Amino acid sequence: MNGNWIGDYAYSIEGDETKIIKPIRRILTFDNGILIAKGSKYDYGTDIEKGKYNLNSKTLELDGEYENYDIDSFEIDSLVLINKANSFR
């Protein structure tokens, strides 16, 4: 999981329907349990957020008042996060 991941899109699943909500312009850098997230001027702002992740408990926690996520799935070329505050993935 170590390395840079580029956000692609957010979606929600409601019943049998999957709805793509919006593009996600965010870069996540994972480095041995440490997470650094940077948004763009369009999404999330350009501040750099820091936090931690745990593959055993499948969690991603940003410091401060930022959103936390569960790691839904992790493949060699894709990462799906579930926003704990709503139904977005």
Side-chain angles (χ1 to χ4, degrees):
M1 186 159 188
N2 285 339
N4 296 313
W5 294 80
I6 299 171
D8 191 11
Y9 60 89
Y11 67 93
S12 68
I13 299 173
E14 297 174 11
D16 293 338
E17 189 175 347
T18 300
K19 296 180 179 180
I20 294 180
I21 307 298
K22 61 181 177 177
I24 299 294
R25 293 170 278 231
R26 193 175 209 187
I27 297 173
L28 302 175
T29 300
F30 294 89
D31 187 15
N32 296 319
I34 303 297
L35 166 69
I36 299 171
K38 184 170 190 236
S40 71
K41 67 180 183 178
Y42 304 106
D43 296 313
Y44 299 101
T46 57
D47 291 341
I48 295 175
E49 306 162 26
K50 295 184 179 180
K52 57 188 173 183
Y53 66 95
N54 186 321
L55 291 179
N56 293 326
S57 63
K58 294 187 174 184
T59 58
L60 187 151
E61 300 171 353
L62 295 169
D63 294 337
E65 298 180 21
Y66 297 104
E67 299 170 331
N68 294 318
Y69 300 86
D70 286 329
I71 299 170
D72 183 47
S73 66
F74 166 61
E75 303 292 330
I76 194 164
D77 64 347
S78 66
L79 173 64
V80 177
L81 304 173
I82 299 174
N83 186 325
K84 291 183 176 186
N86 55 48
S87 63
F88 292 142
R89 295 174 186 241

